[in-house]
Amino acid sequence: MCGRFVMSRASSDLVALFDVDVTGDTLPEPSWNIAPTAPVSLLVDAAPRGDDAGGPPVRRLAAARWGLVPSWADDPRVGAKAFNARIETAAEKPTFRDAVVSRRAVIPASGYYEWADEPDGSKAPMYVTLPEGELMLFAALYEWWRDPARPASDPARWVLSTTVLTRDSSGPLAEIHPRMPVLVGAELMEDWLDPETEGDADLLEGVSGESLQHAERCSFRRVAEVGVPQ
């Protein structure tokens, strides 16, 4: 599961690191406590249009609402409960299955929080990271939702939203929670983002399996307060 995470780097760093071609007008500021429904940085490879049609994908960095709102939803508030999606069933669930096919993304993160059970029944916040400040890349899905209450001329009528895929925990992460975010590495990132690659069960299984090697490299430490890693 992933219900709080950290992005401590500026958007300009992400643009350079991931060779971004196009950026959104308003990108999220660094934050040590990103919660569901907050804006997050989303990396997407989109098929080029117009004169560039047929060319290589265009990499975009945009702000998306964390909590996926399917295109057919009547109320965007349904996204508040869809900030995570189980990778084992995402291709079957009406909320996520269309996005699996062609709207896949990654969410960069410096680390994330998980709450571990204590012997006295309380829960302790743990901060999970990769070694040496390496960024995590959460496997994600995204959707566009059109607000029918706004006129067609209003750019704000379109809402971009996203969800983080999760799987059974592995390695050291299994000590603190039974679920973990699916972590994407360079080996599969291009295929995962490729808009020409049709998402199916095999693709989901491949990225989920690759996530295990990244989980083995993760470590965690207890923090006194979420939002203030020590």
Side-chain angles (χ1 to χ4, degrees):
M1 183 176 178
C2 181
R4 291 284 195 282
F5 73 92
V6 172
M7 170 40 69
S8 61
R9 298 199 191 185
S11 296
S12 57
D13 293 341
L14 301 180
V15 169
L17 185 61
F18 295 105
D19 295 324
V20 172
D21 300 305
V22 179
T23 60
D25 294 334
T26 304
L27 296 174
E29 296 291 331
S31 173
W32 287 95
N33 188 6
I34 302 171
T37 73
V40 302
S41 295
L42 192 72
L43 281 167
V44 173
D45 280 0
R49 298 178 180 180
D51 294 339
D52 296 324
V58 176
R59 180 152 297 171
R60 300 177 181 272
L61 179 66
R65 180 186 298 178
W66 187 17
L68 189 139
V69 182
S71 60
W72 43 261
D74 294 326
D75 188 338
R77 289 177 294 183
V78 301
K81 295 182 179 181
F83 57 91
N84 283 168
R86 288 177 172 258
I87 198 167
E88 301 92 338
T89 58
E92 306 163 8
K93 297 292 186 180
T95 299
F96 307 118
R97 63 190 177 196
D98 290 344
V100 167
V101 174
S102 59
R103 288 183 289 279
R104 300 176 303 274
V106 295
I107 298 173
S110 302
Y112 73 95
Y113 301 102
E114 199 53 84
W115 281 259
D117 292 328
E118 295 283 80
D120 63 0
S122 63
K123 291 185 178 293
M126 303 289 178
Y127 183 51
V128 182
T129 58
L130 285 170
E132 300 180 1
E134 179 182 345
L135 281 180
M136 293 178 165
L137 295 176
F138 299 152
L141 306 173
Y142 72 95
E143 279 287 5
W144 287 99
W145 180 80
R146 186 184 183 281
D147 186 348
R150 293 180 179 270
S153 58
D154 185 354
R157 72 190 185 281
W158 290 104
V159 175
L160 176 62
S161 63
T162 186
T163 189
V164 174
L165 289 165
T166 67
R167 59 152 292 144
D168 288 340
S169 290
S170 176
L173 302 184
E175 298 177 31
I176 57 173
H177 199 276
R179 303 289 296 181
M180 69 178 196
V182 174
L183 303 176
V184 180
E187 299 87 347
L188 278 181
M189 179 175 168
E190 301 302 321
D191 284 344
W192 177 253
L193 293 180
D194 189 350
E196 299 300 321
T197 298
E198 183 172 331
D200 55 17
D202 288 340
L203 182 63
L204 295 181
E205 183 178 355
V207 75
S208 180
E210 190 218 27
S211 184
L212 299 179
Q213 63 181 289
H214 305 301
E216 292 287 345
R217 300 170 53 233
C218 289
S219 62
F220 59 87
R221 62 184 186 273
R222 183 170 179 165
V223 293
E225 182 180 354
V226 169
V228 191
Q230 302 296 321

